[in-house]
């Protein structure tokens, strides 16, 4: 049996400013990063991993960050050329790049399209000026709308992000803002509830009471309103925070949620690769300069690589797969973990959660119901052995 197609994640860790809600591995360099050095390191680490992995079909490339639209288009083109030379690209390979709607980044969009990017993901986050200021964004609503219009004309596929459940945001207000966004949408939206992540500026402000998020009941109402509004525009929920027209789902992100094989290149990147019955979990050094130095010395910036146990693999497959509307297929979880279904799931708790209508069976898949999706963090610890 031939191995599954491979997804490739390429991390650009630099931003113009650090958003107060963000806990991603992103860094600000006022003088700007050394583009030549970091691109060379990305290319070297990619070549190193390709030599280890061997021949594989490549189904997707995702430039994430940080802010990868701060890269030079010629560097993006070089990485795409390397990836599609080192691996066999699928005929419909999906190549996504994350961008912000600032005028600086917008001016580079044509260059990214010419480099081979065929899907753009714009970090809009809000269409309200006050909210954008609160979220620490570097653009205003007008810039976001212009960027969306430019991107729609350039890219075959377009997605953008919005953040809701902001302090003081009510359901009617969110529905109105979301309808404006959906009027501008192409085929995909990522709609995230604002959460307080440890180590962020918002975490400090929340701890001293300066930020109050909506109560859980109000957040649940906002979540249900989000799905209703998206459905009115033909975008269906397919993952906890993602909505798409049929066939427009992010194939790269589906590789994560379906627990497929993916490579992660760049500072702080993670990867999962099943080879010869062994699942290797790999992590790169988080600090960009230290990562680059390690690549220059060793060909890679790996700081940890472990072989996951079958139980760990089964848990990861369930943690990721139950985020999906389609849920998980027991036979696939067994194949990716090496364990029988009964060794992964507590059958007594499964029956209880089915009875309580938090989980259900559909087309042979075990999936969370709308109420179950709101409680996944609580359900999974009791469901899994």
């Amino acid at each position: 049996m031939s191995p599954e197609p491979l997804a490739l994640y390429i991390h650009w860790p630099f931003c113009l400013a650090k958003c107060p809600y963000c806990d991603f591995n992103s860094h600000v360099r006022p003088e700007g990063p050394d583009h030549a050095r970091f691109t060379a390191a990305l290319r070297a680490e990619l070549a190193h991993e390709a030599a280890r992995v061997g021949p594989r079909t490549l189904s997707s490339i995702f430039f994430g960050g940080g802010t990868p639209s701060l890269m030079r288009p010629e560097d993006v083109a070089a990485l795409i050329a390397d990836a599609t030379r080192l691996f066999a690209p699928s005929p419909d390979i999906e190549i996504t790049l994350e961008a912000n709607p600032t005028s600086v980044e917008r001016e580079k969009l044509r260059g990214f399209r010419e480099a081979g990017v065929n899907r753009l993901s714009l970090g809009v986050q809000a269409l309200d000026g006050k909210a954008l200021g609160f979220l620490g964004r570097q653009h205003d609503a007008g810039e976001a709308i212009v960027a969306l219009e430019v991107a729609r004309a350039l890219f075959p596929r377009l997605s953008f992000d919005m953040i809701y459940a902001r302090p003081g945001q009510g359901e009617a207000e969110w529905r109105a803002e979301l309808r404006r966004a959906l009027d501008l949408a192409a085929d995909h939206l990522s709609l995230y509830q604002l959460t307080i992540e440890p180590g962020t500026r918002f975490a400090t402000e929340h701890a001293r009471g300066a930020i109050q998020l909506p109560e859980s009941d109000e957040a649940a109402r906002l979540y249900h309103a989000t799905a209703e509004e998206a459905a009115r525009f033909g975008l269906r929920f397919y993952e906890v925070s993602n909505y798409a027209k049929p066939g427009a789902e992010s194939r790269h992100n589906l590789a994560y949620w379906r627990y497929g094989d993916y490579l992660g290149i760049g500072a702080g990147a993670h990867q999962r690769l099943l080879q010869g019955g062994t699942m290797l979990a790999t992590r790169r050094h988080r600090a960009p300069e230290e990562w680059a130095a390690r690549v220059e010395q060793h060909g890679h910036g790996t700081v940890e690589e472990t072989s996951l146990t079958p139980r760990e693999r089964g848990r990861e497959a369930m943690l990721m797969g139950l985020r999906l509307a389609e849920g998980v297929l027991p036979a696939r979880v067994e194949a990716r973990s090496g364990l029988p279904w009964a060794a992964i799931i507590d059958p007594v708790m499964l029956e209880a959660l089915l009875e309580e209508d938090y989980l259900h069976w559909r087309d042979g898949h075990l999936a969370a119901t709308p109420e179950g999706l709101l409680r996944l963090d609580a359900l999974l610890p009791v469901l899994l052995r």
Side-chain angles (χ1 to χ4, degrees), residues 84-95:
T84 53
R85 173 178 52 82
L86 294 166
F87 299 104
S90 62
D92 60 346
I93 186 170
E94 174 189 274
I95 305 177

Side-chain angles (χ1 to χ4, degrees), residues 2 12 26 46 51 71 99 102 131 164 188 199 219 246 264 351:
S2 61
W12 185 258
S26 59
L46 174 57
M71 297 176 72
T102 65
Y164 66 99
H188 190 285
E351 288 305 312

Side-chain angles (χ1 to χ4, degrees), residues 303-314:
V303 291
E304 182 179 33
E305 186 164 80
T306 58
S307 176
L308 299 181
T309 67
R311 185 170 182 270
E312 289 171 331
R313 289 152 54 181

Side-chain angles (χ1 to χ4, degrees), residues 259 309-321 333 337 339 344 380-381 383-385:
Y259 207 47
T309 67
R311 185 170 182 270
E312 289 171 331
R313 289 152 54 181
R315 291 179 68 87
E316 285 193 346
M318 295 297 296
L319 289 168
M320 299 301 286
V333 176
S337 68
L339 284 177
I344 300 168
L380 285 164
L383 175 65
L384 302 179
R385 286 190 180 276

Side-chain angles (χ1 to χ4, degrees), residues 336-370:
R336 298 295 286 176
S337 68
L339 284 177
W341 179 250
I344 300 168
I345 297 297
D346 183 322
V348 175
M349 288 308 306
L350 174 58
E351 288 305 312
L353 294 173
L354 291 166
E355 180 67 25
E356 293 293 326
D357 199 33
Y358 292 134
L359 299 175
H360 60 169
W361 288 103
R362 184 173 58 198
D363 300 327
H365 291 70
L366 179 67
T369 65

Side-chain angles (χ1 to χ4, degrees), residues 13 35 41 47 72 75 93 128 187 189 204 209 244 255 263 306 334 343-344 368:
H35 286 264
R72 300 179 302 195
D75 294 337
I93 186 170
D128 173 83
D187 59 3
L189 279 177
T204 302
L263 299 182
T306 58
E334 290 178 337
I344 300 168

Side-chain angles (χ1 to χ4, degrees), residues 40-58:
L42 286 169
R43 296 180 70 181
E45 189 165 67
L46 174 57
H48 172 86
E49 286 301 315
R52 290 208 313 160
V53 172
R56 295 286 290 268
T57 298
L58 186 64

